[in-house]
Amino acid sequence: MQNWLARLHEIRRYPALMVGVVIIGLFVMVGICTPIAIPYGEGIRLWRGGEDVWGNNPKYAAPVWFDLFTRDRLPRTIIVRLADGGAETDEVTNGGMKRVEIALPFQYVYDGFPDELKLFTTASSQAAGRPIAISWETPDGRTIVLQDNRLLKKSDTYYISQDKDLRERLSKLAPEAGLFADPDNTEKPLKGDYRLVLTAEVPAAAELDARLVVYGKIHGLAGTDHRRRDLMVALLWGAPIALVFGVAAAVGTTVLTYILAATGTWLAGKVDRVFQWITQVNLIIPLLPVMIMIGYLYSRSIWTMLAIVIVLNIFSSTMLTYRAMFLQAKEAPYIEAAQAYGAGNLRIILRYLMPRLAPTLLPQFVLIIPLFVFLEATLALLGLGDPVLPTWGKVLENAYSGGALLKGYYYWFLEPSVLLMTLGIGFALIGYSLDRIVNPRLRTV
Amino acid sequence: MREVINRLGRYAVVRAVFLFLAVIVAIYITVMIANMGGKLDEIRKSEISQQVGMQILANPEYRQLPPDERLKLQEALVAQEFRRLGMDQPFFPKRSFQYLSSALTLRLGWAEHMASDAGSRQVRLIVLERLPTTLLLFGTANLTLFFLSVFVALFLSRRYGSFLDRLTIGLAPSSAAPGWFYGLFLILIFAATLRVLPWGGLVDAPVPDTSLGYALSVLKHMILPTTAVILGALFATIYSWRTFFLIYSSEDYVELARAKGLPSRSVELRYVLRPTLPPILTNFLLVLITMWMGQIVLETVFRWPGLGRAYYLAIQLQDTPVIIGVTVIFGYLLAATVYVLDFMYAVIDPRVRVGAAGRRA
């Protein structure tokens, strides 16, 4: 014990170790804080909830901090609701009808065009089927009619950006550009106060609501993906999952292999030979394909995968390494002494053999953690990621199959990659430094 | 000399027999896993029904039958065929061994959705057709990795403690990420941004009509995946091999050789490299086994039309026979890799050659 405490002081001599510890420490902190800040159920809802959760987010939006690096102000999402900012004027006309005018004003101050425009309307059942007119008022006083005879529905979404007719009338400019363009220079948007106005004549008891969403090009600290989901949820939740998966798999395989190697070497003879055979066969079982097969045929749950990873890796090549080490260790005089005083097999294995090599095991243990973290990403990239949990691997897979590289949504691909990489390097820095501390032969390097 | 060859030959045969047994066990386990939910049975049954249906259609005698009677006849024939093939027997033990033998010979029936480039739907042909491209990429990448690592590690062990040495050792943590991961970055840099190298695939889109043009085009497509494989393992490999070299070059007999005034080149080759090769080979074998697993993802990332890509496509298309077929062939490939390296080990390691304790630790 004293010896180990003394060694702890040496850590300062290994800056790489310090860096690794800081990196992993940060990830562990994120890993602990995330489930507290966004509980499991909430995290799943945010990631799999559906349009209700992320309908107001823009698609493929870059992180907001991109704005710091561009000269222009990139558009952010503007949501104009009737309840906040909108105005409704009702005017009773004859025959139990009323004329409703809903105005949705907003200010546009950005240097680029928005990504998309959508108008969501809801109407009580009395008003359904009534015609409605929608028009657009620009800061320089022009009024553009978007639709003059759209029929109200209980719940309706008007995809302004996809209105082909409107596009024709805006001299072939995409609506999200044409509606904002400066008439003198259609490359640039006109800044100022815009208004979207809906007018309809409906029964007096009817109620209307409207919400205009001007989707921006940047959103949140991490941006959004093809389904408008905020990537931050997955990036944060990915940390605890990656840590738990990597560490659990490493602990499971290392500890079991270690125990079996010690037992096999000590008992020698048949047990040892059987273990060696299993190891030789296990070397030939194609681990990843078998895992993929299990994932494909039975369960994609990350916990099933974890169990399979551990089972398939017990008799891995590390078994051979440990065996070689134990073969040397069992010849030590103190083991002979233990035998002489009559210690049983179990006692010798647990009390004398296993603790002796534990320190040499530590670097190996740390170094295999990133392998398992990347294994999860590998499975996810092949489309066998956990069906429910948001993981870095899933984000990477979405980005890859969503053509993030092809279409230039680099942030989408880089965010999970950089996190995976940093976590991997953190563990590797610790592992290699420990290797040097524990194996004196390398210490002078 | 003759005795050495004899002994090597015997070793080669014994290892081959052992590894073949290991392959049988490994594939048997694969078969058991695959059939846990009765998947193999389903495949086999649908195959039989299809065959019977074809026979009935092809037989002019049955053409006159009304449809419902024809259906009845088909059911009867299918049931008869099931009995004949022993499908009514319990899965374990008899039928599982039938599956084992058809898996071992890759007679895995017909793909559900995929076809080979030549147009066949036989799983065996789909798998075998893709084998050469996979071997090409795997072989090139890993041979380069091997020689590059040996060379650099030996070089660094000579300049132990120099700036280059420290730099390379400092880079060792980079191998925490697998090759395909670097592949994505390489695509981002060289294909997406700089646009100097292809995104992936085997050859250019209009296939070059001269064989030289074809070869050059393939080479061009191999640059990125090969680099990715190497980047994913190089520094860790150098790190551990350099350690081997350092250990062996501090042996007394090396000092003696130097003291005798032998040229440093021959000291390096005969007294350092030679005894270090066996542990290096053992280590490289483990690297290669990991590499085979990485190959699946690597080919997927680079759209390289090999086994790994076929595997990925089979998962996407839910083509179970192909999935099992590729799993089986990966078992063979792993065994072959182990065998080749074991044999080289035997050639190099004097203990095996002279027939002393030939077992590896």
Side-chain angles (χ1 to χ4, degrees), chain A residues 46 49 66 80 87 93 98 116 172 181 185-186 192 194 213 241 273 308 335 387 398 400 402 414 416 444:
Chain A
L46 287 175
F66 266 38
V80 203
T93 53
K98 63 174 178 181
E116 206 183 349
K172 304 240 173 192
N185 175 11
T186 50
Y194 287 84
V213 183
I241 294 170
R273 220 171 308 139
I308 299 164
I335 303 268
N398 284 337
Y400 174 75
L414 283 173
T444 44

Side-chain angles (χ1 to χ4, degrees), chain B residues 203-325:
Chain B
V203 281
D204 284 328
V207 178
D209 35 12
T210 59
S211 43
L212 179 70
Y214 190 89
L216 285 178
S217 175
V218 171
L219 266 183
K220 197 172 78 187
H221 283 79
M222 275 171 66
I223 295 175
L224 286 189
T226 309
T227 316
V229 170
I230 293 173
L231 273 183
L234 183 68
F235 291 105
T237 322
I238 292 178
Y239 177 85
S240 57
W241 294 5
R242 187 199 67 130
T243 312
F244 290 148
F245 283 129
L246 283 178
I247 291 170
Y248 279 87
S249 56
S250 62
E251 295 280 351
D252 290 341
Y253 58 79
V254 181
E255 297 294 321
L256 179 67
R258 277 191 224 279
K260 277 202 301 190
L262 287 179
S264 65
R265 188 151 191 86
S266 82
V267 170
E268 213 161 69
L269 286 179
R270 287 169 55 192
Y271 294 86
V272 181
L273 181 62
R274 190 60 200 272
T276 323
L277 271 180
I280 283 185
L281 274 187
T282 313
N283 182 272
F284 190 56
L285 172 65
L286 303 180
V287 172
L288 282 183
I289 288 175
T290 340
M291 285 295 183
W292 271 124
M293 304 300 99
Q295 183 83 4
I296 297 176
V297 204
L298 189 81
E299 287 184 9
T300 307
V301 166
F302 283 101
R303 300 194 158 75
W304 183 263
L307 285 169
R309 174 112 176 109
Y311 204 79
Y312 175 74
L313 289 176
I315 297 169
Q316 301 294 308
L317 296 168
Q318 316 228 323
D319 205 326
T320 319
V322 181
I323 292 181
I324 295 167

Side-chain angles (χ1 to χ4, degrees), chain A residues 43-350:
Chain A
I44 301 297
R45 191 184 70 84
L46 287 175
W47 193 242
R48 319 207 67 88
E51 285 293 312
D52 292 344
V53 179
W54 53 70
N56 285 342
N57 296 349
K59 234 181 201 179
Y60 302 123
V64 283
W65 43 264
F66 266 38
D67 213 11
L68 299 175
F69 303 105
T70 51
R71 201 149 30 110
D72 294 345
R73 264 189 93 180
L74 296 171
R76 296 178 188 227
T77 302
I78 305 168
I79 303 167
V80 203
R81 290 191 182 85
L82 179 57
D84 38 50
E88 181 175 351
T89 46
D90 294 1
E91 189 185 313
V92 179
T93 53
N94 47 1
M97 302 292 274
K98 63 174 178 181
R99 232 181 75 85
V100 181
E101 187 183 286
I102 295 174
L104 299 172
F106 66 96
Q107 200 182 27
Y108 197 80
V109 292
Y110 305 108
D111 296 311
F113 295 111
D115 195 50
E116 206 183 349
L117 288 172
K118 277 190 198 173
L119 176 68
F120 300 89
T121 52
T122 54
S124 57
S125 52
Q126 302 96 323
R130 302 289 304 171
I132 186 167
I134 306 163
S135 60
W136 182 262
E137 291 171 13
T138 59
D140 55 352
R142 285 172 298 138
T143 301
I144 303 163
V145 176
L146 303 184
Q147 296 254 305
D148 50 9
N149 207 7
R150 193 177 174 90
L151 296 182
L152 275 170
K153 287 184 205 148
K154 266 192 154 172
S155 165
D156 184 29
T157 308
Y158 171 31
Y159 298 91
I160 302 175
S161 303
Q162 287 163 29
D163 191 334
K164 288 213 181 88
D165 180 50
L166 180 63
R167 192 191 168 95
E168 289 299 316
R169 284 185 282 131
L170 290 168
S171 46
K172 304 240 173 192
L173 281 175
E176 67 270 14
L179 291 175
F180 287 92
D182 186 335
D184 301 327
N185 175 11
T186 50
E187 303 273 289
K188 287 201 145 248
L190 199 60
K191 295 182 190 178
D193 295 312
Y194 287 84
R195 241 158 63 103
L196 182 109
V197 182
L198 297 105
T199 44
E201 201 172 6
V202 293
E207 277 178 39
L208 296 186
D209 194 11
R211 169 169 53 108
L212 171 70
V213 183
V214 182
Y215 292 99
K217 292 221 158 100
I218 48 178
H219 182 91
L221 282 175
T224 60
D225 65 2
H226 59 312
R227 293 173 70 184
R228 304 173 187 276
R229 293 183 293 200
D230 191 340
L231 287 175
M232 205 58 196
V233 182
L235 296 183
L236 285 176
W237 257 99
I241 294 170
L243 282 173
V244 168
F245 187 85
V247 174
V251 169
T253 53
T254 314
V255 170
L256 289 173
T257 310
Y258 192 62
I259 293 175
L260 289 176
T263 316
T265 326
W266 178 247
L267 298 179
K270 263 188 200 146
V271 184
D272 189 33
R273 220 171 308 139
V274 169
F275 282 178
Q276 275 203 293
W277 282 341
I278 300 178
T279 312
Q280 294 280 343
V281 171
N282 202 57
L283 222 52
I284 290 172
I285 295 180
L287 297 185
L288 188 62
V290 166
M291 286 189 64
I292 292 171
M293 206 168 69
I294 295 174
Y296 164 73
L297 293 174
Y298 309 107
S299 159
R300 290 179 186 192
S301 149
I302 199 168
W303 309 120
T304 315
M305 287 298 170
L306 182 63
I308 299 164
V309 169
I310 293 177
V311 169
L312 288 177
N313 275 296
I314 293 175
F315 287 96
S316 67
S317 55
T318 29
M319 187 70 144
L320 301 174
T321 325
Y322 293 167
R323 187 175 167 273
M325 296 193 320
F326 278 122
L327 277 179
Q328 271 184 355
K330 78 185 247 195
E331 302 300 333
Y334 76 94
I335 303 268
E336 209 176 325
Q339 256 181 310
Y341 85 69
N345 284 340
L346 191 68
R347 188 178 171 82
I348 290 183
I349 293 170
L350 286 180

Side-chain angles (χ1 to χ4, degrees), chain B residues 13-191:
Chain B
V13 173
V14 169
R15 271 314 273 174
V17 171
F18 176 80
L19 278 173
F20 187 68
L21 289 176
V23 168
I24 291 178
V25 176
I27 291 178
Y28 189 64
I29 294 172
T30 309
V31 167
M32 293 301 268
I33 294 173
N35 200 48
M36 250 193 301
K39 283 285 166 184
L40 288 179
D41 287 337
E42 263 170 50
I43 299 168
R44 196 110 183 271
K45 277 179 185 158
S46 72
E47 203 184 316
I48 292 170
S49 318
Q50 203 185 348
Q51 274 175 5
V52 170
M54 297 276 267
Q55 279 167 14
I56 291 176
L57 274 183
N59 194 335
E61 250 181 73
Y62 297 141
R63 231 169 256 165
Q64 312 301 330
L65 286 176
D68 53 329
E69 257 184 62
R70 202 192 296 168
L71 209 64
K72 233 182 259 168
L73 176 77
Q74 185 175 344
E75 272 167 22
L77 282 177
V78 166
Q80 189 188 338
E81 190 69 5
F82 275 5
R83 267 201 306 285
R84 189 179 75 78
L85 292 170
M87 294 283 288
D88 50 349
Q89 306 251 337
F91 176 70
F92 187 81
K94 190 164 177 241
R95 243 154 15 86
S96 68
F97 287 111
Q98 284 179 359
Y99 284 132
L100 174 66
S101 76
S102 60
L104 279 172
T105 48
L106 282 177
R107 260 185 273 116
L108 287 155
W110 309 85
E112 282 163 14
H113 307 282
M114 290 174 68
S116 72
D117 289 341
S120 170
R121 306 202 60 160
Q122 251 184 306
V123 172
R124 186 223 286 261
L125 293 180
I126 294 177
V127 169
L128 289 182
E129 187 188 60
R130 302 206 171 219
L131 190 57
T133 34
T134 292
L135 288 178
L136 174 69
L137 179 59
F138 187 82
T140 315
N142 289 293
L143 280 180
T144 320
L145 173 69
F146 181 80
F147 287 111
L148 196 62
S149 300
V150 168
F151 178 77
V152 176
L154 198 57
F155 176 83
L156 290 181
S157 75
R158 229 181 306 153
R159 282 173 182 63
Y160 167 73
S162 67
F163 171 72
L164 262 182
D165 184 47
R166 280 156 187 273
L167 181 74
T168 322
I169 296 319
L171 283 172
S174 69
S175 300
W180 61 263
F181 190 75
Y182 288 105
L184 289 173
F185 280 96
L186 290 175
I187 292 178
L188 175 66
I189 296 168
F190 293 99

